[in-house]
């Protein structure tokens, strides 16, 4: 996803302008765009005009519309988003309040405005990885030195994001080699596989823990929130479907959970429901956790809380 501009205020309101450049970007756009947001993009509209003699004719014109979103449909086969809503800005071809559907596709620029850009939404428009390219073994030596220094200087942000560094070959170390590296189809596959592999590994660890130390593996939002209250979460596994909820209160609930786990030093894995591991997590309510220590009495604690309520 190409970030053209970003204007987000301190209170979280604002807008970003983006251009989806590959198929996965359409999935990110689907997860970013929500009911109640406003969307601005170019579109084609059929316009009927009447002449002085009373005859009418119609033509298709290209214009730019801003709509308040009411419905979003993701066509995975056509790699397109169809976003329906009411026009909210004056336009010579479309009346205020009239319905229109904007089609978002690859390489079509759009501007998305939200009343609140939460941390989950903002993370979808930031850099996801670091590509280190060179001829020979220079890239390997550089990464080895970089992480040795990270350990020595206790640079946790580097160590936590080590998996985001991808080493690839380039014919030279000059600027012109960037195009060569970024146009390599194998790199696109590796970028997609890096996140997917991380999700698979985290889910495998959860199932292993569920079989060997049941008191350190749990799922369901109430259980996970109770473990979070005890600062017990080592790894949070959460599905991106939960952040697409049209219920703002529910969405904020999960955003808050993610932020609190991170603040407590826990790792957060956001699963794509487009991947098989995300589908498996959705079967477990969409949220699960691997704990730092056992919580054998958590069922009793949840039961007590329910009784008090």
């Amino acid at each position: 996803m190409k970030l053209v501009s970003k204007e987000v205020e301190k209170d979280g309101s604002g807008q970003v302008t983006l251009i989806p450049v590959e198929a996965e970007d359409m999935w990110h756009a689907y997860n970013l765009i929500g009911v109640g947001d406003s969307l601005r993009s170019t579109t084609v509209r059929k316009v009927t005009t009447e002449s002085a003699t009373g005859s009418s004719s119609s033509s298709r014109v290209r214009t730019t519309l801003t709509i308040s979103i009411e419905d979003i449909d993701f066509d995975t086969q056509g790699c397109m988003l169809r976003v329906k809503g009411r026009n909210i800005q004056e336009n010579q071809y479309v009346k205020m309040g009239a319905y229109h559907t904007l089609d978002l596709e690859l390489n079509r620029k759009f501007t998305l405005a939200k009343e609140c850009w939460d941390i989950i939404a903002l993370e979808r428009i930031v850099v996801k990885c670091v590509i280190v390219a060179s001829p020979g073994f220079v890239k390997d030596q550089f990464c080895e030195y970089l992480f040795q220094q990270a350990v020595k200087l206790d640079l946790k942000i580097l160590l936590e994001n080590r998996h985001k560094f991808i080493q690839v070959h380039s014919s030279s170390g000059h600027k012109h080699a960037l195009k060569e590296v970024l146009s390599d189809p194998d790199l696109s596959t590796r970028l997609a596989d890096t996140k997917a592999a991380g999700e698979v590994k985290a889910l495998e660890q959860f199932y292993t823990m569920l079989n060997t130390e049941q008191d350190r593996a749990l799922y369901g939002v109430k259980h996970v929130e109770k473990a979070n209250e005890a600062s017990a979460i080592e790894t949070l596994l959460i599905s991106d479907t939960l952040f697409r909820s049209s219920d703002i209160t529910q969405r904020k609930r999960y955003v808050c959970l993610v932020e609190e786990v991170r603040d407590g030093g826990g790792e957060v894995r956001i699963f794509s429901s487009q991947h098989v591991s995300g589908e498996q997590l959705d079967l477990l309510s969409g949220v699960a956790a691997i704990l730092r220590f056992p919580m054998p009495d958590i069922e009793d604690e949840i039961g007590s809380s329910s009784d008090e309520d």
Side-chain angles (χ1 to χ4, degrees):
M1 187 84 78
K2 181 179 179 181
L3 177 62
V4 178
S5 66
K6 174 184 169 187
E7 302 168 29
V8 179
E9 304 298 330
K10 289 182 179 179
D11 64 0
S13 63
Q15 64 181 34
V16 298
T17 300
L18 302 162
I19 302 176
V21 293
E22 57 186 22
E24 189 178 355
D25 292 341
M26 298 309 298
W27 178 252
H28 287 302
Y30 175 57
N31 282 281
L32 275 175
I33 297 170
V35 173
D37 296 344
S38 65
L39 179 69
R40 182 177 179 83
S41 187
T42 57
T43 188
V44 173
R45 181 85 172 186
K46 184 179 179 180
V47 176
T48 302
T49 55
E50 188 173 310
S51 67
T53 60
S55 63
S56 61
S57 62
S58 62
S59 61
R60 298 178 71 82
V61 297
R62 181 166 292 277
T63 186
T64 299
L65 285 183
T66 303
I67 63 172
S68 177
I69 299 168
E70 294 187 9
D71 186 59
I72 309 128
D73 177 59
F74 184 22
D75 178 0
T76 55
Q77 298 300 315
C79 199
M80 177 188 292
L81 288 179
R82 294 186 175 88
V83 187
K84 181 181 179 181
R86 292 180 181 272
N87 181 37
I88 58 172
Q89 285 191 2
E90 291 290 347
N91 185 283
Q92 68 180 106
Y93 303 114
V94 184
K95 295 179 180 180
M96 288 281 287
Y99 275 108
H100 188 83
T101 298
L102 292 175
D103 292 336
L104 299 185
E105 54 192 3
L106 290 177
N107 299 307
R108 178 170 293 181
K109 182 169 70 174
F110 67 89
T111 298
L112 179 66
K114 291 177 174 287
E115 290 185 4
C116 181
W117 283 86
D118 58 49
I119 187 65
I120 303 300
L122 289 172
E123 283 183 355
R124 286 193 176 271
I125 61 172
V126 298
V127 176
K128 301 294 183 181
C129 70
V130 178
I131 300 170
V132 183
S134 79
F137 297 101
V138 176
K139 61 186 181 300
D140 307 86
Q141 294 165 351
F142 169 77
C143 286
E144 183 180 358
Y145 172 77
L146 177 67
F147 290 109
Q148 283 177 349
Q149 292 299 305
V151 171
K152 183 179 179 181
L153 301 174
D154 194 27
L155 302 176
K156 291 182 179 179
I157 191 166
L158 269 179
L159 296 173
E160 289 173 357
N161 290 282
R162 186 169 187 161
H163 63 284
K164 294 183 180 180
F165 283 72
I166 297 179
Q167 299 175 36
V168 294
H169 174 78
S170 65
S171 59
S172 76
H174 296 289
K175 188 176 181 180
H176 65 76
L178 280 173
K179 184 176 180 180
E180 167 201 336
V181 170
L182 295 175
S183 61
D184 184 351
D186 289 339
L187 177 60
S188 296
T189 302
R190 288 179 65 188
L191 291 175
D193 288 347
T194 298
K195 183 177 186 298
E199 293 174 2
V200 170
K201 185 178 179 181
L203 196 60
E204 286 177 349
Q205 290 174 337
F206 172 79
Y207 279 122
T208 298
M209 191 68 71
L210 195 62
N211 288 325
T212 58
E213 295 184 66
Q214 281 191 349
D215 294 336
R216 285 189 58 202
L218 46 83
Y219 58 90
V221 64
K222 288 185 178 180
H223 291 75
V224 172
E225 286 178 333
K226 182 61 70 174
N228 182 50
E229 290 174 10
S231 301
I233 297 179
E234 182 177 283
T235 305
L236 175 68
L237 293 68
I238 189 164
S239 171
D240 60 11
T241 56
L242 300 177
F243 302 110
R244 290 201 302 273
S245 173
S246 57
D247 185 330
I248 302 300
T249 302
Q250 284 299 311
R251 179 183 169 90
K252 286 182 177 179
R253 180 182 189 179
Y254 293 114
V255 170
C256 183
L257 177 62
V258 167
E259 291 179 335
E260 288 179 359
V261 169
R262 285 176 174 165
D263 290 343
E267 179 186 14
V268 175
R269 286 280 185 180
I270 299 177
F271 283 59
S272 169
S273 54
Q274 193 177 33
H275 191 270
V276 64
S277 59
E279 293 176 354
Q280 291 177 324
L281 183 59
D282 282 339
L283 295 175
L284 297 174
S285 79
V287 60
I290 298 171
L291 307 186
R292 296 188 174 103
F293 50 82
M295 293 189 69
D297 301 324
I298 193 166
E299 289 287 354
D300 294 336
E301 292 179 27
I302 292 174
S304 298
S305 298
S306 300
D307 292 340
E308 290 173 7
D309 293 341

